[in-house]
Amino acid sequence: MKVTIIYDNEVREKGLKGDWGFSCLIETPDAPQILFDTGANGSILLHNMRRLRIDPNAIGIIVISHAHWDHTGGLSDILEVNKDAEIYLPASFRATIPGRKVSVVKEPVQICERVVSTGELKGIEQSLAIDTDEGILVVVGCSHPGVGDIIDAASRWGKTYGIVGGFHGFRDFGRLSGLSLICPCHCTQYKAEIKHLFPEQCVDCGAGLVLEL
């Protein structure tokens, strides 16, 4: 499986644009492509997709982690291009999208083969638990419910291998012990501390980063 960071504060590849927000593409065998979050600005989202040779029309599922603008700002633009993708919204994101199949997520739900939503934790945010050959990879938006609580929720589907996404002000660093992959993105306040504590496991995030498991 493969996770490509499309939208982030930092960039890893020349020609991409950095901006406050987050979006990534998740590709797993025998399943539709999943766009997780849409960043803050649709023009930047689509620009980075073009540079990364990602076809917006090939996306079969769009998952929004939570209702904040830096994760939903590009949604209307991607929906203008992609007319068919199924959408999974957390229950706290009260949006109407006419003509689309929209699933409102409160409880854990299977998104597709190997990919499960944790459900909307603490009434604000859903994350994804992806079953990889290495274990469960957790993909998060901003981790408002808490990184530890998200890892605990995802662990019901297996041993957690790694986590990627925004960690916000998370600093209970011991909760990351035992993970083989740690990729703090976007809003993470303590990136330097995490990298210092977990130099072998930590991967620098940024638009253009590709994680293959």
Side-chain angles (χ1 to χ4, degrees), residues 7 22-23 35-42 45 62-64 70-76 78:
Y7 203 114
F22 186 71
S23 177
L35 182 68
F36 181 80
D37 286 342
T38 63
N41 183 294
L45 178 73
I62 298 172
V63 178
I64 298 296
D70 48 337
H71 297 257
T72 65
L75 181 58
S76 60
I78 194 71

Side-chain angles (χ1 to χ4, degrees), residues 3 12 23-24 46-47 52 58 66 73 91 137 139 155 188 190 201:
V3 176
R12 290 283 301 268
S23 177
C24 67
L46 294 173
H47 167 84
L52 292 166
H66 63 297
L137 177 67
V139 181
S155 67
T188 307
Y190 297 104
Q201 299 89 342

Side-chain angles (χ1 to χ4, degrees), residues 20-35:
W20 183 264
F22 186 71
S23 177
C24 67
L25 184 74
I26 299 164
E27 299 173 85
T28 59
D30 305 316
Q33 292 184 9
I34 299 173
L35 182 68

Side-chain angles (χ1 to χ4, degrees), residues 157 163 171 175:
W157 292 284
I163 185 168
R171 58 187 307 173
R175 291 307 310 268

